[in-house]
Amino acid sequence: LPISVEAVMAVNLMSLSRRLFQSPRLSAGPQLRPVLRCMQQGVRHAMTAKAEQPYYSNPNFPRDPDNQVLHLGLKEGDVARRILTVGDPARAQRIALLLDAGRPVSVKQSKRGDFTTYTGTYKNVDVSIVSIGMGKAMMDFLVREARAISVPPILIVRYGTCGSIDTSIPPGTVVISDECVSVDSNVAAFADAGDQTAKNRY
């Protein structure tokens, strides 16, 4: 039988909450017991619901019972091979107004509410406009899941705003980049002042 990702997590949470609940360290903090009791009850409910209907057959690349990929909330045929992605849902909605008039436009929002996909045609060419929010994780979800439900090759263009280190480029300039460099200073910001190894790594 397929094993639900939630079921695996539920078992771990149940075990953790049981150990915490029975721990003598909580004897001085009885105010935590109702919280742990609620957590146990919620986990039991989740496990019962998932036992009735297995949710995911592949925990490494989960799909829901409708065969939709987990984050985008789409399945084969829901997304075009040419994708324009933006962060802001309102921007995606405005761009969708430029799709061919008089042609059907499919609008699908993920159950999680993080992704909205408009699929139609532009100058008789199939195209999807997908709002994904911000961050590398969201872009990763889009690329991997769109590839999984599309026939290659696919083309993805990210359209958004950014700053510039070149003072000769005024605000509002349209820039098309052909290269990029990943600069992630979050980890280095928390490194010790004397830890040059960590700072050099990032």
Side-chain angles (χ1 to χ4, degrees), residues 40-190:
Q40 286 181 325
Q41 292 172 351
V43 167
R44 288 193 187 97
H45 175 74
M47 291 179 68
T48 301
K50 295 305 176 185
E52 296 173 355
Q53 181 177 6
Y55 200 54
Y56 301 127
S57 59
N58 181 357
N60 294 317
F61 205 99
R63 295 192 183 215
D64 68 11
D66 297 322
N67 204 33
Q68 296 175 332
V69 288
L70 179 61
H71 301 93
L72 294 182
L74 304 173
K75 59 181 182 298
E76 283 79 359
D78 286 342
V79 65
R81 293 166 60 187
R82 292 175 175 83
I83 300 172
L84 176 64
T85 179
V86 298
D88 184 4
R91 177 176 288 171
Q93 187 177 31
R94 290 195 299 270
I95 296 174
L97 296 176
L98 301 175
L99 295 174
D100 292 339
R103 302 288 297 273
V105 176
S106 167
V107 182
K108 294 185 178 293
Q109 186 169 24
S110 65
K111 295 175 183 177
R112 301 163 59 94
D114 300 329
F115 299 87
T116 304
T117 302
Y118 300 83
T119 300
T121 61
Y122 179 75
K123 296 184 177 180
N124 296 319
V125 176
D126 293 336
V127 62
S128 289
I129 303 160
V130 187
S131 65
I132 65 171
M134 295 177 61
K136 291 182 287 187
M138 307 301 274
M139 192 66 188
D140 174 69
F141 293 144
L142 171 66
V143 172
R144 289 191 299 110
E145 294 187 358
R147 288 183 63 190
I149 58 176
S150 301
V151 177
I154 63 174
L155 172 67
I156 300 177
V157 175
R158 178 68 161 86
Y159 174 62
T161 54
C162 68
S164 172
I165 59 176
D166 188 342
T167 57
S168 67
I169 301 176
T173 301
V174 176
V175 177
I176 301 176
S177 60
D178 56 9
E179 293 182 87
C180 67
V181 176
S182 176
V183 178
D184 191 341
S185 60
N186 294 338
V187 177
F190 292 95

